Structures are given as C-alpha cells and as structure tokens.
Amino acid sequence: MSSRDRLGWGPFFEQQTGGSRDLAFARVVEGQRGAYRVAGDVDGWVEVSGRFRHDAATSVDFPAVGDWVGVRESVIHRRLDRKSTVARAAAGRATEQQVLAANVDTIFLVTALTRDLNPRRLERYLTLVWDAGAVPVVVLNKADLSTDPESERKALGIRLPFVDVVTVSAIRDDGLDALAPYLHPAQTVALLGSSGVGKSTIVNRLLRQDLFRIAGLDTDGKGRHTTTARHLVEITGGALLIDTPGMRELQPWGDESSVAGAFDDIATLAASCRFGDCAHDGEPGCAVAEAVADGRLDADRLSNYRHLLREAAFEDRKRDKAAAANAKRRLKQVGQAMKALYRDRDRS
Ligand SMILES: Nc1nc2c(ncn2[C@@H]2O[C@H](COP(=O)(O)OP(=O)(O)OP(=O)(O)O)[C@@H](O)[C@H]2O)c(=O)[nH]1
Ligand SMILES: [Mg+2]
Ligand SMILES: [Zn+2]
C-alpha cells in the first residue's frame, strides 16, 4: 500500500487532483496556529501560501487535522474537498464554525460511566456526528467506576436506538477489543467528548504507548483538561485515530433533518401520524403521543427532540442556503453509510 493509501486516500480525493503533477498530496496529521504537520507524498511541517491565506474567507477554509492538501516546497497551495467535516459552532460566535477534524469515517463519542453520564448531552453530540457525515459509536469509558456497567450500557442502548454502545475501562485495558470492529485499516476514527472522559487514555491504549500526555491517575472519576491540540495517529492494524481536546461548549451545528436523524425512533413513529405535518403537540391521531401515553416512548426524549428541532431551525435561519444544502448532502451520505454499516454487520 502506498503511504497515501495507508492514510486514507481514495477515489474521492484522486479525482480532485486532476492529474496534477506539480503538487505533492499529503494529509494533515497535526495543526498548530498556522503550521501543519503533514504525512503522505511529503512529510514534515508546512504552512499555507500567502495566496491560500488571502483566498480563505473563514476559518473553515483553512486546513484542519485530517485534511488532504496539495504541497509544493513546504507550502500548502490547495486543500481538497472534504468527505466529512466534524465541526461545532466556534465558542462565542454562533454563526462561525470551527472544524475539529476532517475526512472522518467513524466517531467515538466518549463519555465516562460516572455521575457525569448525561444522555441528553449524548444526544446533542449525536446530532453533531450525524451532521458531520460520520458514523457514531458511543464509548462508555471508566467502567471500573460503575457498579453495573452492563445494565447502564443496556439502558443507554434503549434510549439511543440505531447506535452501537460499547463499555470499556481504558485504565484497566478492559473491553477495548470491542472497538476492533470499527478500527479498519486506513479508516479514520475521531474521538469526541467532554474533557477528562479518557479519550487520550483510549488512544494510548490502542497505540500501546504513551504518546499523549494524560492527567495524573484519578480515582474519583473527575478528569482534568490535558489535550490541547489535535493529532492523527496510525495504530497497529492500520486504523487512523484523531484525538481531540475535550469540549466544554457544544452547540449543535445541524439542520432540522440531522436532528431527525438522531431521533430515528420518533421519525419512525411519526410516519404513522394521521397528518403528514403533525407537530406531535396534541393533534388528533398522533402516533408519537400514543407511544408516549403507553410508555413505548420516553416523554423526556420527545421534549428533547422538540428542543433540538427548535434550536436547529434557529441555526438554519442564521445560515445561508448553500450551507443548508451542503448539510443535506452530507446527511444523505450518512444515511448511506449507516445502511452499509448495518448491512455489513448483518452479514458477519
Ligand atoms: N477510573 C478510570 N480513570 C480513567 C479511565 N480512563 C482514563 N481515566 C483517567 O481520566 C483522566 C482523564 O483522562 P484523559 O485520557 O486525559 O481524558 P481526555 O478525554 O483525553 O481529556 P481532555 O484531553 O482534557 O479532553 C486521567 O486521570 C485518566 O487516568 C478509566 O477507564 N477508569
Ligand atoms: Mg485528551
Ligand atoms: Zn404526531
């Protein structure tokens, strides 16, 4: 395999090169204030060209970890279009996005099995992942701090249908085998989640070496903020992992349909409502209300869904149509990816 292929190159990127011979293509594996470390046809630290900087309208246009870039003489001249984008609203600036990782296939949504576990927050993260064009896997870490991790996993599985939920204890190196089905060669997996849940510890375990600095061992389940930059690393077996700094603030950056995606169970019920545009708010013949009444659907979950819908609709109005169309296109890719994933799983 060529170094590009090992790093996740494929037809999607190949066709964007237009047979270009004057540029070397490489993937951004680390980014730090204007300097980027790349690997591929060329390896090392590079910068964007003056022209690139000039043409970039917003921070989203700049390379992010996971991006493929065209390089000549240690200068980035081009960034190839992204297959998927993990972004969140930049802190304090609701209409500007911050790209956390690019060209990601799978996202490990990491949370800790402590009192910190918050299904509502997970649903918000899920919205972000679906919008990104990646497949989410919920990883419940710190199983050693729970008296009954298995029943916590089951309960969450019921609350979050259509998503795999895996329990691990990174510190005890326990249960990490369960992550193997998502760690294929040249597949990119990003780890997202609040600070201190153990993302870097998981990456280190999978790497079998202490590459990332981790806060001192904790016994109370509370973490400290350690990771400050994003990195992409290759683990034994060939999967590519992107560790990210913990998120303190997370606003869903999605359109209404991505919210619907994270609530497939409600969407399925809604298909049986009498009215096609039912708002599930007291209309006659509402299948969603019926499900809440007879306990098949959590009332909490319905109100969370409504809340996210309103929020997404608000975000939508703030953005232009092109961005919305883009999000829809990405969402379609997710749907296809999800279907492919389920199909493969059914076969094995
Ligand atoms: N008890 C327990 N502690 C863990 C486990 N995994 C990680 N930790 C501890 O949790 C703390 C935070 O771990 P990190 O890996 O630095 O967390 P992180 O998610 O990378 O945090 P940020 O980089 O700040 O986003 C450290 O003290 C780890 O030792 C686990 O499975 N069980
Ligand atoms: Mg970390
Ligand atoms: Zn209804």
Side-chain angles (χ1 to χ4, degrees), residues 273 278-280 283 286-289:
C273 292
C278 184
H280 325 305
E283 288 90 341
C286 175
V288 174

Side-chain angles (χ1 to χ4, degrees), residues 12 33 39 64 68 75 100 102 104 108 141 145 173-174 195 208 212 248 252 267 277-278 283 304 306-307 338 343:
F12 179 82
R33 287 181 198 282
W68 283 96
V75 174
L100 299 172
V104 168
F108 288 172
N141 188 34
L145 297 177
D173 205 350
D174 193 11
S195 187
R208 305 279 154 205
F212 296 114
R248 288 219 186 73
D277 61 350
C278 184
E283 288 90 341
N304 199 18
R306 285 217 187 90
H307 180 73
M338 291 294 288
R343 200 177 50 231

Side-chain angles (χ1 to χ4, degrees), residues 273-303:
C273 292
R274 186 180 305 162
F275 302 112
D277 61 350
C278 184
H280 325 305
D281 203 10
E283 288 90 341
C286 175
V288 174
E290 253 169 56
V292 172
D294 64 22
R296 275 174 296 139
L297 180 70
D298 199 3
D300 245 20
R301 204 173 142 69
L302 178 60
S303 77

Side-chain angles (χ1 to χ4, degrees), residues 229-253:
R230 291 178 276 275
H231 302 259
L232 182 147
V233 292
E234 183 182 344
I235 61 169
T236 322
L240 307 159
L241 299 186
I242 299 179
D243 190 17
T244 69
M247 296 193 233
R248 288 219 186 73
E249 187 183 344
L250 179 80
Q251 283 185 30
W253 179 270

Side-chain angles (χ1 to χ4, degrees), residues 109-114 117-118 122 137-144 149-157 160 164-170 174 179 197 202:
L109 283 176
V110 185
T111 183
L113 268 177
T114 57
L117 177 64
N118 181 337
L122 267 179
V137 176
V138 173
V139 178
L140 301 175
N141 188 34
K142 308 200 184 183
D144 53 288
E150 184 50 22
S151 63
E152 291 206 60
R153 189 188 68 78
K154 282 209 184 105
L156 201 64
L160 306 171
D164 289 353
V165 183
V166 177
T167 319
V168 301
S169 170
D174 193 11
L179 300 177
V197 294
I202 293 172

Side-chain angles (χ1 to χ4, degrees), residues 200 226-227 243-244:
S200 299
T226 35
T227 304
D243 190 17
T244 69

